Amino acid sequence: MTYRAILSVQKRRDEPSGLSVSDRFFQPESVPKPHRLLWFAADALLLSCLMTGLLMLYASGFSVPTSLWFYPAVFLLCVGVTALFRNPWCRQHRLAIGTAVLLVYLLLLFLCQDTFFGGMQQFGDLAADTLSWTYHAEQDVPASAAGGSAAEIFLILAAVPAMLWFGASLFQKNSLLMSCLLLFPLLVLPVLCGAAKNTVALFLVLLGAVLCMAFARPKRQYRMWGGGNLHLQRQNQ
């Protein structure tokens, strides 16, 4: 659903006082299917660049071994999150969909909790090893950091809330500030640890950030168009 640039006029007459009230609202019009697919592909590419760059930065910076399925799985998750937030039916039932996604995510964590916590420990040991090497600290690194096979699963599962956050901020709220509130600390951590050395990962993060700035649109306040009329507010959203 898109909106025309020219505002339509809606007139209402107050019978007791005899006054006529005119409201301005955006007239919705349907978007051709190829255009919807093109915008969907652009949104999926934006989220994929951002998340692939961040996960590549963490995996290469902290020496996390990754399998061949790692980055295709990240791409498929980004496409799924984009479809979730771009679906009109999901937007109308956002509370029910959000609750269902949360329950599925918690169930997934419960089923693979041993792998998740084992990967968390391995990732922590790898991060401690990176800090020890960066700041020349004499610290014994646990032997579990040598393998790190479960650390990639931990990264994938830990990245799901970040994907949902970016999806909600970019595709639903249209808030660049909301996305930057998470992007900034995720970038600061590997930089402080001396792990931000992958040029390709930094380029993908930069490309994703630039695309966010280019495509993010300021969200109009409800009080500007529609006042207390809830139906009109939904039209103007």
Side-chain angles (χ1 to χ4, degrees):
M1 186 72 68
T2 187
Y3 299 94
R4 297 174 185 171
I6 302 177
L7 296 177
S8 300
V9 178
Q10 175 176 295
K11 294 183 178 180
R12 296 193 303 269
R13 180 177 177 84
D14 186 21
E15 297 297 339
S17 62
L19 298 177
S20 297
V21 181
S22 298
D23 291 333
R24 293 182 298 175
F25 67 97
F26 292 101
Q27 179 66 36
E29 60 180 4
S30 60
V31 181
K33 188 174 182 180
H35 292 179
R36 292 201 302 267
L37 294 177
L38 183 61
W39 279 111
F40 175 81
D43 293 336
L45 178 62
L46 188 155
L47 188 60
S48 299
C49 286
L50 203 57
M51 291 306 305
T52 303
L54 286 173
L55 289 176
M56 188 182 296
L57 191 65
Y58 276 79
S60 61
F62 294 108
S63 302
V64 177
T66 56
S67 304
L68 294 177
W69 58 266
F70 184 78
Y71 293 108
V74 173
F75 176 75
L76 291 178
L77 283 174
C78 291
V79 172
V81 170
T82 305
L84 180 67
F85 284 101
R86 281 302 186 192
N87 192 319
W89 188 86
C90 294
R91 285 190 169 190
Q92 292 177 0
H93 305 84
R94 63 185 67 178
L95 181 59
I97 295 299
T99 305
V101 169
L102 178 61
L103 291 177
V104 170
Y105 180 69
L106 293 178
L107 178 62
L108 182 61
L109 288 181
F110 177 76
L111 293 177
C112 56
Q113 55 181 324
D114 294 335
T115 305
F116 179 79
F117 288 112
M120 181 188 298
Q121 182 179 0
Q122 290 178 0
F123 182 78
D125 295 339
L126 291 171
D129 187 21
T130 303
L131 283 171
S132 178
W133 181 83
T134 301
Y135 295 101
H136 307 286
E138 296 181 359
Q139 181 179 359
D140 295 332
V141 180
S144 61
S149 57
E152 59 179 347
I153 300 180
F154 165 73
L155 283 180
I156 286 285
L157 294 176
V160 172
M163 293 180 188
L164 295 174
W165 179 281
F166 286 127
S169 61
L170 296 174
F171 308 141
Q172 183 172 326
K173 297 296 183 181
N174 295 322
S175 174
L176 182 61
L177 177 61
M178 183 177 172
S179 60
C180 290
L181 288 176
L182 181 63
L183 180 61
F184 181 73
L186 289 179
L187 282 177
V188 166
L189 178 60
V191 170
L192 292 180
C193 295
K197 299 178 180 179
N198 193 323
T199 307
V200 178
L202 291 174
F203 172 76
L204 289 176
V205 173
L206 179 61
L207 178 61
V210 171
L211 290 177
C212 290
M213 297 177 186
F215 291 106
R217 296 172 296 177
K219 184 178 176 63
R220 294 183 179 271
Q221 299 295 329
Y222 287 148
R223 59 183 177 84
M224 294 179 62
W225 308 105
N229 191 333
L230 183 59
H231 177 69
L232 200 57
Q233 288 179 358
R234 291 175 178 174
Q235 284 185 325
N236 297 338
Q237 184 178 3

